[in-house]
Amino acid sequence: MVLRFVTTNDGKWLEVSSLISAYGISVERINAKVLEVQSDDLVEIARIAALDAYRSFGGELFVEDAGLFVDALKGFPGPYSAYVFKTIGIRGLLKLMEGVERRTAAFRSAVAYVDLDGRVSVFVGEVRGLITTEPRGTGGFGFDPVFVPLGSERTFAEMDVEEKNRYSHRARAVRELLRHLLAQRSSEG
């Protein structure tokens, strides 16, 4: 089985390719932009992006969209995380969190897979955690330096790829995709 992952994000590619190869499955990258609609719903964003990728590249591919949902900020930045990171960055997010005691948050991921017939299946992963008061670590990307997943004392940016994949929202969603595909293959064969 060969899966194709459509992403221009090098960090996502590194995490996902490392995870999938551990299952003995080949993964290829399609380094292309796809339509990213503005929506409050990660699943909708991923589904539309997957259909756009299908029109360009055919089936047996997947896309991923993710966001950081901060409880004290009523879920902000959520699906707008990439834009918020580009505009106000980590320092801006921490400024919004100044004096906030409730620092709980969740990273959520939606992985949308399109089969050869254009049918879309979406798999969701979530990891709960806390927002730090200062950035820590040099790995990862986006808001990784300020997010500590529950069960760890380290931010995603302080972890290597394998350790992050043990906790991450993206890894959880990709594992759900892999379970689905492996179950489908075993029922066909």
Side-chain angles (χ1 to χ4, degrees):
M1 176 184 339
V2 177
L3 286 175
R4 297 178 302 152
F5 180 30
V6 182
T7 185
T8 58
N9 184 311
D10 293 335
K12 287 183 183 184
W13 168 248
L14 181 64
E15 291 173 22
V16 169
S17 61
S18 172
L19 177 66
I20 291 176
S21 64
Y23 281 78
I25 297 171
S26 296
V27 60
E28 296 174 355
R29 180 180 186 180
I30 299 174
N31 193 352
K33 289 187 180 267
V34 292
L35 179 65
E36 187 172 334
V37 297
Q38 295 303 306
S39 171
D40 293 335
D41 185 351
L42 283 178
V43 170
E44 179 184 21
I45 295 166
R47 181 182 304 281
I48 291 170
L51 288 170
D52 184 55
Y54 175 76
R55 285 190 283 280
S56 298
F57 307 109
E60 293 194 322
L61 59 76
F62 67 99
V63 301
E64 188 266 356
D65 198 58
L68 175 64
F69 296 75
V70 179
D71 296 334
L73 302 178
K74 298 181 182 176
F76 182 81
Y80 308 103
S81 294
Y83 176 74
V84 170
F85 181 77
K86 288 178 197 164
T87 54
I88 67 171
I90 289 172
R91 289 284 170 206
L93 177 69
L94 291 178
K95 182 86 172 149
L96 292 172
M97 297 291 294
E98 279 182 6
V100 174
E101 288 185 32
R102 190 173 126 222
R103 303 190 75 82
T104 56
F107 260 125
R108 295 188 187 120
S109 169
V111 169
Y113 171 78
V114 187
D115 69 15
L116 289 172
D117 298 319
R119 289 183 300 254
V120 179
S121 301
V122 181
F123 306 90
V124 177
E126 176 179 285
V127 62
R128 301 279 314 158
L130 300 172
I131 302 297
T132 61
T133 56
E134 288 295 323
R136 301 192 328 239
T138 57
F141 59 94
F143 291 111
D144 285 357
V146 294
F147 184 81
V148 176
L150 293 180
S152 178
E153 295 182 9
R154 297 157 42 98
T155 67
F156 276 162
E158 293 175 299
M159 298 178 183
D160 63 22
V161 172
E162 289 74 26
E163 184 179 6
K164 183 178 177 187
N165 278 343
R166 286 196 295 270
Y167 291 98
S168 93
H169 52 301
R170 184 171 300 108
R172 290 176 184 192
V174 169
R175 281 189 197 98
E176 288 301 314
L177 165 64
L178 295 174
R179 277 193 271 284
H180 168 77
L181 293 175
L182 293 171
Q184 190 175 51
R185 299 275 196 244
S186 69
S187 71
E188 291 171 0

